[in-house]
Amino acid sequence: MKLSDTIGSILRSKDENRVLSVSPEQSVYEAIEKMAAHAVGALLVMSGEKLVGIVSERDYARKVILKGHSSRETLVRQIMTWPVVFVSPQHAVDECMAIMTKHRFRHLPVVQEDAVVGVVSIGDLVKWIITGQAQTIQELEGYITGTYPG
């Protein structure tokens, strides 16, 4: 579990690699309701099988609430972020962290051959790195105390 590991490794290790989405014609209310039901902070916006945007709680707060719009009357396409920045399963963890930091977002779709295969969050990346560091610390402690296998 290193910074050089691939995003594909993270997707394979996730308990549930589900891709949650809404259509651009759904209401923002429906999108927020789905986010709440699944305890996520963003949804992909799909038109059929095509990724056309991403909508997040941040989009809702800044483009609906702060502007006094109605979430039941505003459509997802009106507030979604597009074009979508995405990565492939072959991208490294550190590359994805750099992309997310540069663009200041917390969710990154993973696309392979024009098909969405998953989404990684900044939390997924941090968890991966922390787990790797914990393993390294355990190995070093074992080496120092002489209990390291091998």
Side-chain angles (χ1 to χ4, degrees):
M1 297 183 175
K2 304 174 295 250
L3 286 170
S4 59
D5 289 339
T6 66
I7 292 303
S9 299
I10 292 178
L11 290 179
R12 285 189 297 277
S13 74
K14 287 175 79 167
D15 291 335
E16 191 176 342
N17 183 30
R18 59 188 174 183
V19 176
L20 298 172
S21 66
V22 290
S23 79
E25 301 309 315
Q26 284 184 267
S27 72
V28 171
Y29 183 86
E30 291 172 295
I32 294 299
E33 196 172 47
K34 190 169 193 173
M35 285 183 220
H38 294 279
V40 297
L43 297 170
L44 299 185
V45 182
M46 306 286 293
S47 182
E49 296 295 313
K50 184 176 180 189
L51 176 63
V52 295
I54 188 165
V55 64
S56 69
E57 293 168 330
R58 185 183 290 176
D59 292 321
Y60 173 67
R62 294 179 180 178
K63 299 173 186 174
V64 178
I65 296 296
L66 287 179
K67 296 195 179 209
H69 296 275
S70 164
S71 59
R72 290 186 189 272
E73 294 171 13
T74 304
L75 299 180
V76 168
R77 68 176 163 74
Q78 295 174 279
I79 70 161
M80 70 184 189
T81 298
W82 65 276
V84 181
V85 175
F86 60 87
V87 295
S88 75
Q90 291 75 38
H91 273 82
V93 171
D94 61 343
E95 292 175 301
C96 294
M97 289 188 81
I99 291 167
M100 293 170 106
T101 301
K102 177 184 175 187
H103 294 284
R104 303 185 78 182
F105 46 64
R106 299 178 184 130
H107 300 87
L108 197 53
V110 183
V111 176
Q112 186 170 30
E113 297 175 13
D114 294 326
V116 175
V117 294
V119 177
V120 290
S121 69
I122 193 69
D124 295 331
L125 302 183
V126 169
K127 179 181 175 185
W128 185 264
I129 292 165
I130 289 171
T131 302
Q133 289 175 340
Q135 287 177 341
T136 300
I137 290 168
Q138 188 175 20
E139 290 169 4
L140 289 171
E141 286 175 344
Y143 178 75
I144 290 168
T145 61
T147 60
Y148 184 75

